[in-house]
């Protein structure tokens, strides 16, 4: 079971990391909102949701008698964490070997922040604090925390829904 979990996690984690890379290179600089929406939903919901569904369906087909809702939720949660960790590791790789991509992305986000009406109303100290917060959120550590929290929340939510749809057992007989 653990080998299958790792294979699914790394395969779909690679797909999510690739979509993340496409987002950083192309989509972030594209003004078309629908492209942003498709990219973000694909990376955060569609790819992990598909992975969890396929993994849990495989788990149910392999051993129907042991397909309990608690176990299904836990394994889906763990699968989502593996996917998030893969994206985080890829981000770390990009930050190490292609920092200009991350710096361009940070510059874009800071420029978007500076252009808002909300930002203009802040004091000089608050402006600097907000710019530093944007920079910190795109650091390797910031992205690692973000990805793990996102993966945990997404994994619990999607696993519960998918386990219910696949009719996981709720108690032992």
């Amino acid at each position: 079971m653990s080998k299958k979990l790792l294979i699914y996690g790394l395969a779909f984690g690679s797909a999510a990391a690739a979509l993340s890379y496409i987002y950083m290179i192309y989509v972030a600089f594209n003004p078309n909102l629908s492209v942003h929406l498709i990219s973000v939903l694909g990376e955060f919901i569609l790819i992990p949701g598909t992975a969890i569904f396929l993994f849990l369906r495989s788990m149910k087909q392999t051993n129907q008698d042991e397909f309990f809702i608690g176990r299904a939720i836990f394994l889906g949660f763990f699968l989502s964490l593996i996917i998030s960790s893969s994206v985080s590791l890829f981000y770390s790789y990009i930050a190490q070997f292609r920092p200009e991509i991350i710096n361009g992305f940070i510059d874009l986000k800071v420029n978007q922040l500076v252009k808002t009406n909300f930002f203009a109303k802040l004091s000089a100290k608050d402006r600097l604090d907000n710019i530093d917060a944007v920079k910190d959120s795109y650091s390797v550590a910031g992205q690692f925390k973000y990805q793990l929290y996102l993966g945990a929340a997404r994994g619990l939510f999607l696993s519960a829904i998918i386990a219910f749809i696949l009719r996981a057992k709720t108690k032992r007989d």
Side-chain angles (χ1 to χ4, degrees):
M1 182 61 66
S2 62
K3 186 173 17 173
K4 185 185 278 189
L5 184 67
L6 186 61
I7 290 170
Y8 272 84
L10 293 177
F12 284 94
S14 297
L19 199 52
S20 177
Y21 181 72
I22 291 169
Y23 181 82
M24 285 189 283
I25 296 296
Y26 170 70
V27 177
F29 302 99
N30 189 337
N32 188 349
L33 186 61
S34 62
V35 174
H36 283 270
L37 185 63
I38 291 168
S39 178
V40 169
L41 288 177
E43 180 186 348
F44 294 150
I45 301 294
L46 189 62
I47 290 174
T50 302
I52 292 169
F53 175 78
L54 292 175
F55 177 75
L56 292 180
R57 188 180 71 178
S58 169
M59 190 177 105
K60 181 179 180 180
Q61 290 171 348
T62 302
N63 199 346
Q64 178 119 14
D65 294 336
E66 294 182 15
F67 188 64
F68 293 99
I69 195 152
R71 185 171 186 204
I73 291 171
F74 176 75
L75 290 173
F77 163 78
F78 199 66
L79 177 62
S80 185
L81 285 179
I82 294 170
I83 292 169
S84 292
S85 296
S86 298
V87 174
S88 180
L89 287 173
F90 180 73
Y91 187 87
S92 174
Y93 176 84
I94 293 296
Q96 178 70 33
F97 296 105
R98 298 283 309 273
E100 67 275 6
I101 293 172
I102 305 295
N103 291 335
F105 194 68
I106 291 171
D107 290 342
L108 173 72
K109 294 299 182 180
V110 168
N111 288 334
Q112 287 174 345
L113 177 67
V114 169
K115 291 178 184 177
T116 63
N117 291 332
F118 168 77
F119 189 78
K121 296 176 185 176
L122 296 175
S123 68
K125 182 188 178 312
D126 288 341
R127 287 181 192 165
L128 288 175
D129 289 344
N130 278 290
I131 289 172
D132 288 341
V134 169
K135 290 177 181 178
D136 288 343
S137 70
Y138 289 102
S139 69
V140 173
Q143 279 297 301
F144 181 72
K145 288 184 240 175
Y146 170 75
Q147 286 293 334
L148 284 183
Y149 289 134
L150 175 70
R154 170 186 63 211
L156 288 173
F157 180 73
L158 292 178
S159 297
I161 291 171
I162 292 169
F164 178 77
I165 290 170
L166 292 176
R167 297 191 174 130
K169 295 178 184 177
T170 56
K171 66 177 183 173
R172 296 184 189 262
D173 293 358

